[in-house]
Amino acid sequence: MRYLTVLFWCLCFSLNANADKEIYPESIIIDIDNHIIERWQRNEPGGGVVIIENGEIIYENYRGLSNIQQKTLFTDDTIIQYASVTKRFTAAAILKLVAKNKLKLDKKIGQYLPSLDKKFNKITVRHLLTHSSGIPSLFEGDSSYNYSTKENLEQINTLGLQFEPGTNSSYSNNGYTVLGAILEQQTGKAWHEVIKEYIAPTKNYKSIQYLGDYLNSNNLPAVGYYEEHDGYPIAHMKSPGILHANGGLAGTTKDLALWVYAFHNSDILSPAMLTIAHEKQALPNGNIGWAAGMFRFNYKGVDVVGHDGSVSGTNAYTLYIPKNDRVIVTASNTPHDARHLAFKVLSHFLKKPIKNFKHHVFDSEQLQANFGAYKYNNGNFDHFFMKDESLFIKRGDQTPDRLLYAGNDIYFFKRRNHWFQIITDTAGKKTMAFHRFGNAKAIEANKFSR
């Protein structure tokens, strides 16, 4: 399903005093459409894109399959795992309790959770929100086992701190599981029930639910896939219990976009709490860490708020651009796909587009001399090869990425923004000029013969 409103072609108004008024050329949408068509074939894993500006959905598109085996289309009703984007909801629920005077940001978490080990005594709620607690991100457990909150905390208690709380910043899934436990301790309800009541009420966001509820229903989430030489094997599903409040929500792409827009326009939290949510943690070493459940950064000269969610072969990405009051939400059922697509779309709006390529039919014999291992100065190798008439690139023991041919010895990633060109000098020496994330400046690797 796709909606292109008249507003898109003549967008010359603003419902937000801080948003820039802007008129977009039709070419932006054409480029986005063409890229999605190239990226998500009808018989392959796919995804969705929703763009909201000044309260209006100005673009919505879905393509590909949510379940290859059952040939189920990826549509506006497809449920996706929000994965780590869940942290934005958990952070908002915590700040809602702060606003209700049920929690204090700078109170030690041991006062809320006495079962926590004493080594965590210096950690505050704010440290957890901003990934500055020092609690490692993961514990060595069974990802298929459906841990209870109590069992999660018992596993976290066995971990040591990475650094003194508040002195550094390191992304922590376990830190947000602890926040979920605090939500439960303070309300007497499951963490996801608190989110449904305070943060994402069913009347406004019907599809946003606990992943476990979807797995126990007939409305299953999109199947996650990995890319391999022989197709798309199904990715192993992590249990809702181990994902917990750090990654255990699911819903549609559209509801996620609507929620993110509402969040940044103070429809979820009060303006005062939203300001706190956006504050980046200042660290003693002079670095700037995370905000509350999201990351603020500069992309091509523009202030952006974003968060990635990736689990079990699926990917969701949310971007908010304050300057234009614009939300870009992408979802897919192959790894990293949504993140790269979100920045591809954003780059078009910034009029600094990442290069688009069109797939060309190729003669495998003519390309044969380009295949092989290419070595970078840092010692990494990229293996460029073909199997069953399809092109791939693989680094180390990572899963391979599918490539498409653009002509002139240029190859581009099917689901990422990277591309490279094989350059052959007069002596026959071959160099891979690799443009990571579509950057104009290339990183070079020389073909290596073992």
Side-chain angles (χ1 to χ4, degrees), residues 80-87 243 246-250 308-311 314-316:
I80 60 166
Q81 294 188 63
Y82 290 169
S84 286
V85 176
T86 298
K87 293 178 176 67
L243 294 174
N246 75 77
L249 292 181
D308 191 15
S310 186
V311 69
T314 63
N315 189 208

Side-chain angles (χ1 to χ4, degrees), residues 74-126:
F74 206 116
T75 70
D76 58 345
D77 291 326
T78 298
I79 301 303
I80 60 166
Q81 294 188 63
Y82 290 169
S84 286
V85 176
T86 298
K87 293 178 176 67
R88 301 195 65 175
F89 293 82
T90 301
I94 289 288
L95 291 174
K96 199 79 164 181
L97 292 187
V98 171
K100 291 175 176 289
N101 292 318
K102 294 184 177 181
L103 284 175
K104 293 191 180 300
L105 285 174
D106 295 310
K107 191 171 182 178
K108 303 295 191 295
I109 60 174
Q111 297 177 58
Y112 297 117
L113 298 172
S115 65
L116 283 177
D117 191 276
K118 291 182 179 179
K119 62 176 165 282
F120 301 135
N121 279 353
K122 294 182 180 180
I123 298 172
T124 66
V125 174
R126 192 188 301 271

Side-chain angles (χ1 to χ4, degrees), residues 20-46:
D20 281 1
K21 297 177 181 178
E22 205 168 348
I23 299 175
Y24 304 117
E26 184 176 352
S27 60
I28 289 179
I29 284 299
I30 292 173
D31 283 346
I32 293 171
D33 270 351
N34 287 339
H35 181 71
I36 289 173
I37 290 169
E38 194 81 76
R39 195 182 197 103
W40 294 330
Q41 300 298 310
R42 294 292 186 187
N43 61 344
E44 295 181 326

Side-chain angles (χ1 to χ4, degrees), residues 420-439:
F420 63 87
Q421 184 172 22
I422 302 297
I423 300 169
T424 308
D425 67 16
T426 54
K429 178 183 175 184
K430 292 185 178 293
T431 301
M432 177 183 287
F434 195 101
H435 296 261
R436 185 170 170 79
F437 297 110
N439 291 333

